Amino acid sequence: MFSNIKAVRVQEIIMSGSYDVIGTIKYNNLNSGKPISTSGLNSARPLFYNFSQYPTVNEIVYVLAGPRNNYNQAGGIMSYYLPPLNIMGSPNHNAIPNQLTEEEYRNKKETGLKGYFQERPHIKPLLPYEGDIIVEGRFGNSIRFGSTISGSHQMNNWSMETSQSIGNPITVIRNGQTIQRQDIKTNHILEDINHDNSSIYLCSNQQITNFQKAGIEIKDYELSYKHML
């Protein structure tokens, strides 16, 4: 009896209150118009307790029925939601209200986003390689669990040395994405250790090529310590 699942459009997400309310969404059907108020809409809680991916307004999620924490209350059933659908292919957001025309949808002129969350169209998804596991935030922050590669259509700066063994693990933590030049037309990008805001590269026998130190003076990147007796 918990098998019902359907796609719905998020109209509100609650980000304050008690522990069992935060993350709850208010939603309506895909073909429903924009509601005047969200007070009468159905609600759903996140399905996962240890992985939080909260949607924005007008993103599409799947909801399904499951048991309440108090099974004897209100029939013992409530709705839970899965992470947003990858409609736009963007890590920043995938909001799409139903009143858009096909042309507006293609050009992404209007998203219907609400609150302080704003679209950042320069945020691009990371280019994946075989076997990678990538976790991406909406704001250019990411973690890549990857490895040394070979023969890819686009090489990276941790796989350029031919002496490296294919499959050596590497973990790349990036906070803040490089803003690409407007004349560069690409859907996926790579981490850029020299231009991303900050990075942590956890290597295993890799050598990072084209790495630029933060400063040109010794005092900028080296410290000396004097032992005090």
Side-chain angles (χ1 to χ4, degrees):
M1 62 180 174
F2 297 144
S3 60
N4 293 334
I5 182 170
K6 63 177 180 178
V8 300
R9 178 172 286 103
V10 178
Q11 295 297 338
E12 181 184 0
I13 178 166
I14 300 173
M15 301 304 295
S16 62
S18 61
Y19 76 94
D20 57 346
V21 171
I22 291 178
T24 298
I25 63 168
K26 298 290 188 68
Y27 65 87
N28 60 1
N29 295 326
L30 295 181
N31 297 325
S32 300
K34 183 179 180 181
I36 298 176
S37 171
T38 61
S39 60
L41 296 180
N42 292 323
S43 62
R45 293 180 60 184
L47 179 63
F48 304 115
Y49 69 89
N50 58 349
F51 176 76
S52 300
Q53 187 176 356
Y54 300 121
T56 64
V57 171
N58 278 317
E59 286 190 319
I60 309 301
V61 300
Y62 278 115
V63 297
L64 64 158
R68 292 180 177 272
N69 55 1
N70 185 348
Y71 193 73
N72 294 321
Q73 180 183 2
I77 299 174
M78 65 176 300
S79 295
Y80 297 86
Y81 68 86
L82 290 162
L85 273 65
N86 185 29
I87 293 177
M88 296 290 192
S90 169
N92 183 235
H93 78 83
N94 288 273
I96 180 69
N98 61 354
Q99 52 266 64
L100 295 189
T101 65
E102 183 177 354
E103 180 181 359
E104 288 173 325
Y105 178 89
R106 289 197 304 268
N107 296 331
K108 294 190 289 188
K109 293 179 180 178
E110 175 60 48
T111 63
L113 296 171
K114 298 178 182 179
Y116 63 82
F117 182 88
Q118 300 295 323
E119 181 180 23
R120 304 186 69 186
H122 70 276
I123 299 296
K124 305 289 186 180
L126 287 178
L127 180 70
Y129 297 99
E130 292 181 8
D132 280 1
I133 296 176
I134 300 176
V135 180
E136 295 185 73
R138 295 182 184 270
F139 310 102
N141 35 11
S142 62
I143 303 176
R144 180 197 294 269
F145 300 96
S147 68
T148 302
I149 66 166
S150 176
S152 172
H153 62 283
Q154 184 172 347
M155 289 295 287
N156 52 56
N157 67 343
W158 61 84
S159 302
M160 300 299 290
E161 296 294 323
T162 56
S163 61
Q164 296 180 33
S165 297
I166 306 305
N168 280 344
I170 188 168
T171 301
V172 181
I173 303 174
R174 175 198 60 166
N175 187 55
Q177 184 182 103
T178 301
I179 297 179
Q180 302 292 296
R181 297 202 323 264
Q182 295 300 313
D183 60 328
I184 298 179
K185 303 299 183 182
T186 179
N187 291 326
H188 291 77
I189 66 172
L190 285 170
E191 297 92 338
D192 188 333
I193 195 171
N194 295 318
H195 297 100
D196 292 335
N197 290 353
S198 57
S199 307
I200 298 176
Y201 283 62
L202 303 176
C203 303
S204 57
N205 301 316
Q206 290 98 351
Q207 177 178 319
I208 307 302
T209 58
N210 302 321
F211 173 63
Q212 301 172 8
K213 296 182 176 66
I216 60 175
E217 300 293 336
I218 292 179
K219 64 181 180 181
D220 291 332
Y221 57 89
E222 291 183 355
L223 295 176
S224 61
Y225 297 90
K226 182 177 180 180
H227 182 64
M228 303 297 294
L229 297 176

